[in-house]
Amino acid sequence: MEKKKTVYQLDTPYSAVSWPSITLEDQETILELLCALLAPLGQYRSTYTQLSKGKRDRKRKRKAAGMDHMDVPPPPMPELQSFIDVGLSAVTRSLQEASKVGQDKKSNSEDVLPSGKPPPPPYSAIFVARSGQPNALNSHLPQMAAVASNSHPSQTPIRLVGLSKSCGERLSESLGIPRVSCIGLREDAPNSKALVEFTRQHVPTIEVQWLDEVKQAEHLKTNIKEIKTSVGSKQVKKHAA
C-alpha cells in the first residue's frame, strides 16, 4: 500500500495579482504597432552601430580607405530612445522609483527626485514577451505596475501587456539588439499615440484587491495549505562484502 504524508505550505493571506487578460488578436495588433514604433531605433543601430573588433582593426580599415582624417560622428539617436526602457531589470528599477517618488510627493508635495531633477515621465505601457520565460522572472510585474499606478492617482494607470506568442526575435530585430524580454514605454513618446490608444482601449487595468484589503486594517490569518503527497519506498543500501 502506498504511503502518504501531508506537506504544509505557508502563503500570503492577500489576494494574488493576475495578469490582464488580452485576446490573441489584440496581442497581434499591439505587437505590430510596437514593432513599427521601434523600427527606427533598429535601423539606426544597423546603420551607425558596429560591433567592435578591436582598435587595430578599426585603424587598419581607416588607413586602407584613406579616411583617417574624415572621422565623421554619427547623427544623434532618434528621440524615442529616451522614452523607452529595455530589460526586466531596467523596468523593475523604474517602477520602484515611481512608487517611491509617489509616496514622497504625498508627504513632501515636491515633484523632484532627491538629486533635484524632475522625475522622468511615467510609463504608459509595459510590454513583456512571456513565451518561453519562467513565471518567476516576471511574476512581480503586475503587482509593481499596480502599486506604481496607485502612487500617482492623477495619472492614467499603466497598462501591462503580456505577449503570450513567441515574439522575442521580432522585438530584437526591431530594436537592433540581441535579446529583448521587456519594454517600458513612457508617456508622450514620439509617434506612440496609435499604440497607446489601442492598448488602453483593449487592455484592462490591473486589479489589486489586496491594496483595498490593506486599507481595511483587518488582521488576516496566514494562509496555510495542506498538500497530500505520496511517500516513495526506502531504498535498501547494499554493503560491500
Side-chain angles (χ1 to χ4, degrees), residues 61-214:
K61 288 184 177 180
R62 285 201 300 265
K63 289 181 180 179
M67 297 177 62
D68 229 359
H69 61 288
M70 298 177 60
D71 197 2
V72 181
M77 285 280 286
E79 186 183 3
L80 176 65
Q81 174 65 23
S82 61
F83 286 84
I84 66 168
D85 291 328
V86 180
L88 278 169
S89 297
V91 172
T92 299
R93 184 165 55 249
S94 182
L95 289 173
Q96 289 175 333
E97 293 173 354
S99 300
K100 184 178 185 302
V101 169
Q103 296 300 323
D104 291 343
K105 284 178 64 178
K106 291 178 181 178
S107 57
N108 301 328
S109 299
E110 294 183 358
D111 195 14
V112 294
L113 295 172
S115 61
K117 297 180 181 179
Y123 286 140
S124 58
I126 298 172
F127 307 91
V128 185
R130 299 184 66 192
S131 177
Q133 227 183 61
N135 290 333
L137 290 181
N138 53 47
S139 60
H140 62 286
L141 289 178
Q143 181 169 301
M144 292 194 68
V147 172
S149 296
N150 191 66
S151 300
H152 302 270
S154 62
Q155 298 171 354
T156 305
I158 300 170
R159 295 305 198 271
L160 181 62
V161 182
L163 300 169
S164 56
K165 183 179 178 181
S166 180
C167 58
E169 292 183 1
R170 289 184 63 184
L171 293 175
S172 297
E173 183 179 354
S174 298
L175 276 172
I177 57 180
R179 184 178 178 84
V180 179
S181 60
C182 183
I183 298 173
L185 178 67
R186 298 192 180 276
E187 288 280 6
D188 301 322
N191 304 316
S192 66
K193 184 177 180 181
L195 171 61
V196 173
E197 287 185 351
F198 185 89
T199 301
R200 285 174 175 168
Q201 290 172 4
H202 296 84
V203 179
T205 56
I206 307 168
E207 296 183 1
V208 186
Q209 295 182 4
W210 66 260
L211 283 175
D212 297 327
E213 294 169 354
V214 169

